[in-house]
Amino acid sequence: FVPHMLSIAVMCALMLQPKIKTKPGAPYFIGGWAALLLGLTVATMSYVGPLSTNAFNINLAWYALVPQAGLFIAASLRRIQMMQAEERSLIARESRAESSLARLKQSKESADQARLMRVIERERELMTELREREMLRTEEMRNAKEMADHANQAKSAFLAVVSHEIRTPMNGV
């Protein structure tokens, strides 16, 4: 009788511990063992004498196996539910991390694309400026050529006049 009471006290002390309360299904396991212990205690007390000796009291240890099995199954189901919940939360965390990574990658690509667009726009501006300079140089070269052609024609006309003016008096001499 005393060992059974000591076992009950140990189980009660275990139920009050914070670690046991945080474990999924722990109260069900403790309840299952308590049911079996209660059945064994009643059966033992029936044999020893404080309780009446009848078929129910004597077989109560066997009858206690049914609630014990039910409580153990409930504890196992609770544990499975907790593991599934943890797995779902892990998947959700991974999904959030992946979406965050995808947003970061998209943001980086957007920044790269914006930088590329600025470079292209600057290149267009430079090309426009270079075309304008080239057009100015071409115009200046055309003007210089026209002036050179005009000067060449003036030189040719001067030489023709001078040559004619010199040749006529020379022919007379």
Side-chain angles (χ1 to χ4, degrees):
F1 178 72
V2 173
H4 295 297
M5 295 307 285
L6 186 59
S7 299
I8 291 173
V10 169
M11 275 195 291
C12 289
L14 285 175
M15 284 182 71
L16 297 175
Q17 283 188 350
K19 285 184 179 180
I20 297 295
K21 288 182 180 178
T22 59
K23 299 263 183 189
Y28 296 112
F29 276 120
I30 292 172
W33 287 113
L36 180 64
L37 185 62
L38 179 67
L40 288 173
T41 303
V42 169
T44 303
M45 290 175 74
S46 295
Y47 284 123
V48 174
L51 291 178
S52 65
T53 305
N54 60 24
F56 180 77
N57 286 347
I58 292 173
N59 292 319
L60 191 59
W62 295 108
Y63 299 148
L65 291 177
V66 174
Q68 181 188 26
L71 288 169
F72 283 2
I73 290 170
S76 298
L77 291 176
R78 180 71 177 136
R79 173 91 174 150
I80 290 170
Q81 288 173 346
M82 291 299 290
M83 288 172 53
Q84 289 173 344
E86 288 175 7
E87 185 176 338
R88 282 191 300 269
S89 69
L90 177 65
I91 290 171
R93 274 194 305 262
E94 289 174 354
S95 174
R96 284 192 301 268
E98 287 175 5
S99 66
S100 176
L101 185 62
R103 284 193 307 267
L104 180 65
K105 187 176 181 180
Q106 183 180 12
S107 173
K108 184 179 179 210
E109 287 175 359
S110 295
D112 289 345
Q113 186 177 16
R115 189 172 36 251
L116 182 61
M117 291 303 292
R118 285 192 305 267
V119 167
I120 289 172
E121 187 62 33
R122 179 67 181 144
E123 185 177 299
R124 285 181 185 161
E125 290 172 2
L126 290 174
M127 289 301 291
T128 303
E129 186 179 320
L130 287 173
R131 283 187 194 115
E132 289 173 0
R133 284 184 190 172
E134 186 66 26
M135 286 175 21
L136 285 174
R137 285 184 188 150
T138 303
E139 186 67 30
E140 288 173 357
M141 288 171 60
R142 190 175 336 112
N143 289 340
K145 182 182 180 273
E146 287 175 5
M147 287 175 59
D149 287 345
H150 190 61
N152 193 21
Q153 288 174 357
K155 178 190 77 158
S156 295
F158 173 76
L159 286 177
V161 168
V162 168
S163 170
H164 176 69
E165 293 298 325
I166 292 177
R167 208 176 331 140
T168 304
M170 289 296 269
N171 281 338
V173 172

PDB file of all heavy atoms in Angstrom, residues 98-114:
ATOM      1  N   GLU A  98      11.548  32.446 -48.266  1.00  0.00           N
ATOM      2  CA  GLU A  98      11.683  32.383 -49.727  1.00  0.00           C
ATOM      3  C   GLU A  98      11.050  33.600 -50.385  1.00  0.00           C
ATOM      4  O   GLU A  98      11.625  34.177 -51.315  1.00  0.00           O
ATOM      5  CB  GLU A  98      11.031  31.106 -50.270  1.00  0.00           C
ATOM      6  CG  GLU A  98      11.819  29.854 -49.982  1.00  0.00           C
ATOM      7  CD  GLU A  98      11.084  28.588 -50.419  1.00  0.00           C
ATOM      8  OE1 GLU A  98       9.999  28.706 -51.033  1.00  0.00           O
ATOM      9  OE2 GLU A  98      11.598  27.499 -50.134  1.00  0.00           O
ATOM     10  N   SER A  99       9.868  34.004 -49.897  1.00  0.00           N
ATOM     11  CA  SER A  99       9.222  35.181 -50.496  1.00  0.00           C
ATOM     12  C   SER A  99      10.027  36.439 -50.203  1.00  0.00           C
ATOM     13  O   SER A  99      10.137  37.323 -51.049  1.00  0.00           O
ATOM     14  CB  SER A  99       7.786  35.325 -49.982  1.00  0.00           C
ATOM     15  OG  SER A  99       7.761  35.621 -48.602  1.00  0.00           O
ATOM     16  N   SER A 100      10.613  36.507 -49.013  1.00  0.00           N
ATOM     17  CA  SER A 100      11.462  37.647 -48.687  1.00  0.00           C
ATOM     18  C   SER A 100      12.688  37.684 -49.591  1.00  0.00           C
ATOM     19  O   SER A 100      13.075  38.747 -50.091  1.00  0.00           O
ATOM     20  CB  SER A 100      11.895  37.571 -47.218  1.00  0.00           C
ATOM     21  OG  SER A 100      12.790  38.605 -46.912  1.00  0.00           O
ATOM     22  N   LEU A 101      13.268  36.514 -49.825  1.00  0.00           N
ATOM     23  CA  LEU A 101      14.421  36.420 -50.715  1.00  0.00           C
ATOM     24  C   LEU A 101      14.035  36.803 -52.142  1.00  0.00           C
ATOM     25  O   LEU A 101      14.782  37.499 -52.833  1.00  0.00           O
ATOM     26  CB  LEU A 101      15.003  35.006 -50.673  1.00  0.00           C
ATOM     27  CG  LEU A 101      16.283  34.762 -51.466  1.00  0.00           C
ATOM     28  CD1 LEU A 101      17.407  35.634 -50.933  1.00  0.00           C
ATOM     29  CD2 LEU A 101      16.673  33.309 -51.380  1.00  0.00           C
ATOM     30  N   ALA A 102      12.843  36.359 -52.562  1.00  0.00           N
ATOM     31  CA  ALA A 102      12.376  36.699 -53.908  1.00  0.00           C
ATOM     32  C   ALA A 102      12.147  38.207 -54.041  1.00  0.00           C
ATOM     33  O   ALA A 102      12.505  38.811 -55.056  1.00  0.00           O
ATOM     34  CB  ALA A 102      11.083  35.947 -54.221  1.00  0.00           C
ATOM     35  N   ARG A 103      11.564  38.825 -52.990  1.00  0.00           N
ATOM     36  CA  ARG A 103      11.367  40.281 -53.018  1.00  0.00           C
ATOM     37  C   ARG A 103      12.704  41.000 -53.048  1.00  0.00           C
ATOM     38  O   ARG A 103      12.868  41.996 -53.758  1.00  0.00           O
ATOM     39  CB  ARG A 103      10.550  40.733 -51.808  1.00  0.00           C
ATOM     40  CG  ARG A 103       9.079  40.444 -51.920  1.00  0.00           C
ATOM     41  CD  ARG A 103       8.275  41.186 -50.858  1.00  0.00           C
ATOM     42  NE  ARG A 103       8.749  40.961 -49.510  1.00  0.00           N
ATOM     43  CZ  ARG A 103       8.299  40.032 -48.687  1.00  0.00           C
ATOM     44  NH1 ARG A 103       7.333  39.246 -49.072  1.00  0.00           N
ATOM     45  NH2 ARG A 103       8.792  39.904 -47.474  1.00  0.00           N
ATOM     46  N   LEU A 104      13.666  40.508 -52.281  1.00  0.00           N
ATOM     47  CA  LEU A 104      14.989  41.114 -52.272  1.00  0.00           C
ATOM     48  C   LEU A 104      15.642  41.004 -53.641  1.00  0.00           C
ATOM     49  O   LEU A 104      16.221  41.964 -54.153  1.00  0.00           O
ATOM     50  CB  LEU A 104      15.862  40.443 -51.208  1.00  0.00           C
ATOM     51  CG  LEU A 104      17.284  40.966 -51.060  1.00  0.00           C
ATOM     52  CD1 LEU A 104      17.257  42.413 -50.572  1.00  0.00           C
ATOM     53  CD2 LEU A 104      18.054  40.106 -50.092  1.00  0.00           C
ATOM     54  N   LYS A 105      15.521  39.835 -54.251  1.00  0.00           N
ATOM     55  CA  LYS A 105      16.088  39.618 -55.586  1.00  0.00           C
ATOM     56  C   LYS A 105      15.404  40.521 -56.603  1.00  0.00           C
ATOM     57  O   LYS A 105      16.066  41.121 -57.446  1.00  0.00           O
ATOM     58  CB  LYS A 105      15.923  38.146 -55.976  1.00  0.00           C
ATOM     59  CG  LYS A 105      16.606  37.773 -57.259  1.00  0.00           C
ATOM     60  CD  LYS A 105      16.488  36.288 -57.519  1.00  0.00           C
ATOM     61  CE  LYS A 105      17.194  35.899 -58.799  1.00  0.00           C
ATOM     62  NZ  LYS A 105      17.076  34.470 -59.056  1.00  0.00           N
ATOM     63  N   GLN A 106      14.076  40.631 -56.508  1.00  0.00           N
ATOM     64  CA  GLN A 106      13.332  41.488 -57.431  1.00  0.00           C
ATOM     65  C   GLN A 106      13.732  42.947 -57.219  1.00  0.00           C
ATOM     66  O   GLN A 106      13.902  43.694 -58.181  1.00  0.00           O
ATOM     67  CB  GLN A 106      11.825  41.314 -57.206  1.00  0.00           C
ATOM     68  CG  GLN A 106      10.985  42.109 -58.165  1.00  0.00           C
ATOM     69  CD  GLN A 106       9.502  41.905 -57.903  1.00  0.00           C
ATOM     70  OE1 GLN A 106       9.116  41.355 -56.880  1.00  0.00           O
ATOM     71  NE2 GLN A 106       8.685  42.333 -58.824  1.00  0.00           N
ATOM     72  N   SER A 107      13.912  43.344 -55.979  1.00  0.00           N
ATOM     73  CA  SER A 107      14.331  44.710 -55.683  1.00  0.00           C
ATOM     74  C   SER A 107      15.713  44.981 -56.273  1.00  0.00           C
ATOM     75  O   SER A 107      15.953  46.053 -56.853  1.00  0.00           O
ATOM     76  CB  SER A 107      14.349  44.922 -54.165  1.00  0.00           C
ATOM     77  OG  SER A 107      14.902  46.160 -53.846  1.00  0.00           O
ATOM     78  N   LYS A 108      16.613  44.010 -56.128  1.00  0.00           N
ATOM     79  CA  LYS A 108      17.950  44.169 -56.681  1.00  0.00           C
ATOM     80  C   LYS A 108      17.890  44.264 -58.201  1.00  0.00           C
ATOM     81  O   LYS A 108      18.570  45.090 -58.806  1.00  0.00           O
ATOM     82  CB  LYS A 108      18.838  42.994 -56.262  1.00  0.00           C
ATOM     83  CG  LYS A 108      20.256  43.144 -56.728  1.00  0.00           C
ATOM     84  CD  LYS A 108      21.120  41.997 -56.300  1.00  0.00           C
ATOM     85  CE  LYS A 108      22.515  42.227 -56.831  1.00  0.00           C
ATOM     86  NZ  LYS A 108      23.210  41.025 -57.102  1.00  0.00           N
ATOM     87  N   GLU A 109      17.065  43.410 -58.818  1.00  0.00           N
ATOM     88  CA  GLU A 109      16.934  43.454 -60.267  1.00  0.00           C
ATOM     89  C   GLU A 109      16.344  44.784 -60.722  1.00  0.00           C
ATOM     90  O   GLU A 109      16.769  45.348 -61.726  1.00  0.00           O
ATOM     91  CB  GLU A 109      16.062  42.293 -60.755  1.00  0.00           C
ATOM     92  CG  GLU A 109      16.751  40.955 -60.677  1.00  0.00           C
ATOM     93  CD  GLU A 109      15.835  39.793 -61.040  1.00  0.00           C
ATOM     94  OE1 GLU A 109      14.652  40.035 -61.326  1.00  0.00           O
ATOM     95  OE2 GLU A 109      16.325  38.647 -61.012  1.00  0.00           O
ATOM     96  N   SER A 110      15.381  45.306 -59.954  1.00  0.00           N
ATOM     97  CA  SER A 110      14.793  46.607 -60.288  1.00  0.00           C
ATOM     98  C   SER A 110      15.840  47.709 -60.196  1.00  0.00           C
ATOM     99  O   SER A 110      15.907  48.587 -61.059  1.00  0.00           O
ATOM    100  CB  SER A 110      13.646  46.935 -59.334  1.00  0.00           C
ATOM    101  OG  SER A 110      12.600  46.040 -59.478  1.00  0.00           O
ATOM    102  N   ALA A 111      16.657  47.655 -59.149  1.00  0.00           N
ATOM    103  CA  ALA A 111      17.713  48.653 -58.987  1.00  0.00           C
ATOM    104  C   ALA A 111      18.720  48.544 -60.131  1.00  0.00           C
ATOM    105  O   ALA A 111      19.156  49.563 -60.689  1.00  0.00           O
ATOM    106  CB  ALA A 111      18.408  48.476 -57.635  1.00  0.00           C
ATOM    107  N   ASP A 112      19.087  47.311 -60.485  1.00  0.00           N
ATOM    108  CA  ASP A 112      20.022  47.117 -61.599  1.00  0.00           C
ATOM    109  C   ASP A 112      19.428  47.626 -62.906  1.00  0.00           C
ATOM    110  O   ASP A 112      20.117  48.268 -63.707  1.00  0.00           O
ATOM    111  CB  ASP A 112      20.388  45.635 -61.748  1.00  0.00           C
ATOM    112  CG  ASP A 112      21.273  45.130 -60.621  1.00  0.00           C
ATOM    113  OD1 ASP A 112      21.843  45.969 -59.892  1.00  0.00           O
ATOM    114  OD2 ASP A 112      21.399  43.890 -60.480  1.00  0.00           O
ATOM    115  N   GLN A 113      18.155  47.346 -63.103  1.00  0.00           N
ATOM    116  CA  GLN A 113      17.495  47.796 -64.320  1.00  0.00           C
ATOM    117  C   GLN A 113      17.411  49.324 -64.358  1.00  0.00           C
ATOM    118  O   GLN A 113      17.655  49.939 -65.405  1.00  0.00           O
ATOM    119  CB  GLN A 113      16.090  47.194 -64.406  1.00  0.00           C
ATOM    120  CG  GLN A 113      15.399  47.493 -65.712  1.00  0.00           C
ATOM    121  CD  GLN A 113      14.042  46.809 -65.787  1.00  0.00           C
ATOM    122  OE1 GLN A 113      13.496  46.370 -64.785  1.00  0.00           O
ATOM    123  NE2 GLN A 113      13.501  46.749 -66.984  1.00  0.00           N
ATOM    124  N   ALA A 114      17.103  49.948 -63.225  1.00  0.00           N
ATOM    125  CA  ALA A 114      17.047  51.407 -63.169  1.00  0.00           C
ATOM    126  C   ALA A 114      18.423  52.002 -63.448  1.00  0.00           C
ATOM    127  O   ALA A 114      18.547  53.000 -64.179  1.00  0.00           O
ATOM    128  CB  ALA A 114      16.531  51.860 -61.799  1.00  0.00           C
TER     129      ALA A 114
END
